[in-house]
Amino acid sequence: MPMYEYSCLDCARQFERLLPMSATDQLVVCPFCQSTHVQRRLSLFAAHSRGGTTVETAPTAVTGGGCSCSGCHCGSGS
Ligand SMILES: [Zn+2]
């Protein structure tokens, strides 16, 4: 039984419904404000993408070991 995600167009909240394939066109009512102005967003077969900010926290890789500033390109060795 697939799960569908709905967003209410009146109160802008989101909720999920487990509906059988034969009942996807039935009337879905917002559980918060009982509005019927709901919009089906997507099934949960698609992964949630929000909230996962991928920030590279790895330090800058120094190729060839430590910097001795004698022949590298760091710009501080003169
Ligand atoms: Zn609502």
Side-chain angles (χ1 to χ4, degrees):
M1 184 151 36
M3 178 177 286
Y4 295 101
E5 238 181 52
Y6 290 88
S7 61
C8 179
L9 300 180
D10 283 348
C11 69
R13 284 193 255 202
Q14 297 164 8
F15 56 96
E16 296 164 352
R17 277 296 174 85
L18 271 173
L19 295 176
M21 296 294 276
S22 58
T24 53
D25 288 333
Q26 79 179 27
L27 196 63
V28 176
V29 181
C30 173
F32 302 104
C33 67
Q34 277 72 43
S35 170
T36 55
H37 295 153
V38 297
Q39 185 177 52
R40 185 166 59 178
R41 299 175 59 220
L42 75 163
S43 76
L44 287 189
F45 293 118
H48 289 254
S49 58
R50 85 177 87 91
T53 53
T54 56
V55 179
E56 289 288 335
T57 56
T60 356
V62 179
T63 57
C67 173
S68 61
C69 286
S70 59
C72 76
H73 297 70
C74 73
S76 63
S78 59

